Amino acid sequence: MYGAIIGDIIGSKFEFDRGNKSREFELFTKLDMFTDDTVMSVAVAQAIMDAGKEADEKTVKANLIKSMKKWGRKYPYAGYGGRFIDWVLSDDPKPYGSYGNGSGMRVSAVGWAYDTIERTREVARWTAEVTHNHPEGIKGAESVAAAIFMARSGASKEAIRSYIVTEFGYDLSRTLDEIRPFYHHVEDCMKTIPEAFECFLEAESYEECIRNVMYIGGDTDTLGAIAGSIADAFWGIPMNFITAANEYLDDELLEVIEKFYEEVIDDKGGVIVN
């Protein structure tokens, strides 16, 4: 989960094509901040903890709606899309057919919380369907959660690549060098999720994955959240990254994050590397 949050924070300063597409940059600066990616990652984490591990679809979705509205209203200026903030503020929120990349950036907690890839994908689908019920939005959430599950379970990068291509049909044949020249800020799953996977697949560490994100540019906070969440499960995160990230987070966000690590990740082999 910290993988998504740190990726969001580091990527925030380069969002909307504000970077120079380089791997050479200062990781944490005064320009960084958490965005909607962090807020909604926390919201989903709280929702699935409150619902319980064996909860049915109705219960999970009810908790998701409650939690996402609560956290969205608490941080209304975190950078949400227009339709999503309307959903947050609605008294009777309904899914609105989105295929935006928000479904993939907020799902990291699901990748850690369940014991099988089938259950992981099922709950990931529910997290998308409350808002992003377009098939591409659902696919984005399921694929990211599945990759996190596989990474934390010891799968190789090639096994993860093969599963994502076979199960979800994403084109993962392009290298970052091929993607970079024409890539720009875009907010749909179809042009974000494959690129985030490639940032992970061409890396050899969590930090290298995040630097790969800034190398191709685009919607860097969301790319960072997605790619970072998979890299976290695969390699772990340096403790100094977590210490630095905590300086950008307030006590309410940290309370949920710490509870999630205590109740969910610590008994599943979550790794923080020194």
Side-chain angles (χ1 to χ4, degrees):
M1 187 176 172
Y2 260 117
I5 292 167
I6 293 169
D8 173 42
I9 290 170
I10 293 175
S12 64
K13 59 182 168 288
F14 298 129
E15 189 183 15
F16 304 114
D17 299 316
R18 289 179 292 181
N20 61 356
K21 293 193 174 186
S22 171
R23 291 188 175 96
E24 302 300 319
F25 60 90
E26 187 176 355
L27 289 169
F28 296 96
T29 75
K30 293 180 179 180
L31 298 176
D32 292 319
M33 65 186 74
F34 69 83
T35 78
D36 57 321
D37 302 56
T38 291
V39 176
M40 286 300 118
S41 294
V42 167
V44 170
Q46 181 173 58
I48 62 175
M49 286 191 291
D50 290 347
K53 191 173 180 179
E54 305 300 328
D56 61 15
E57 179 178 0
K58 181 178 179 180
T59 302
V60 172
K61 285 185 173 179
N63 277 274
L64 284 163
I65 292 168
K66 177 182 177 182
S67 185
M68 290 164 68
K69 284 171 61 65
K70 167 193 165 183
W71 288 96
R73 292 182 180 195
K74 187 179 293 290
Y75 301 96
Y77 305 111
Y80 313 100
R83 287 192 294 171
F84 182 78
I85 198 62
D86 288 343
W87 182 93
V88 165
L89 298 175
S90 172
D91 292 330
D92 185 26
K94 302 294 184 185
Y96 48 90
S98 176
Y99 48 78
N101 54 27
S103 63
M105 60 79 161
R106 69 193 187 205
V107 78
S108 60
V110 177
W112 287 96
Y114 303 98
D115 297 330
T116 68
I117 199 166
E118 293 80 13
R119 176 63 170 170
T120 298
R121 287 183 58 174
E122 177 179 54
V123 178
R125 182 172 69 250
W126 298 342
T127 69
E129 287 176 338
V130 293
T131 54
H132 293 52
N133 60 332
H134 187 283
E136 292 291 345
I138 294 167
K139 185 168 79 169
E142 281 197 48
S143 63
V144 173
I148 294 168
F149 177 90
M150 292 181 71
R152 72 171 176 85
S153 300
S156 68
K157 285 194 285 185
E158 283 311 307
I160 295 170
R161 180 196 295 272
S162 177
Y163 184 87
I164 296 303
V165 170
T166 301
E167 290 291 311
F168 301 102
Y170 285 127
D171 178 9
L172 302 184
S173 66
R174 299 169 301 151
T175 66
L176 295 179
D177 285 341
E178 291 169 333
I179 292 167
R180 181 175 180 267
F182 305 103
Y183 195 60
H184 58 89
H185 185 98
V186 63
E187 297 181 354
D188 62 52
C189 280
M190 300 82 82
K191 296 178 182 178
T192 304
I193 304 295
E195 288 77 8
F197 279 126
E198 193 60 29
C199 289
F200 158 69
L201 290 167
E202 291 192 32
E204 295 300 332
S205 68
Y206 179 83
E207 179 176 344
E208 189 173 325
C209 175
I210 297 303
R211 291 190 181 278
N212 282 344
V213 168
M214 310 314 152
Y215 177 69
I216 64 169
D219 190 4
T220 48
D221 59 333
T222 297
L223 278 164
I226 295 169
S229 67
I230 305 166
D232 174 10
F234 195 83
W235 289 292
I237 303 175
M239 189 66 220
N240 62 306
F241 279 40
I242 293 174
T243 301
N246 285 347
E247 295 299 314
Y248 298 88
L249 303 171
D250 63 31
D251 289 344
E252 290 181 284
L253 293 167
L254 285 169
E255 182 179 357
V256 177
I257 296 165
E258 290 167 2
K259 182 180 179 182
F260 188 78
Y261 270 78
E262 290 170 1
E263 296 188 1
V264 178
I265 291 185
D266 282 352
D267 68 352
K268 291 185 169 59
V271 177
I272 297 174
V273 295
N274 294 318

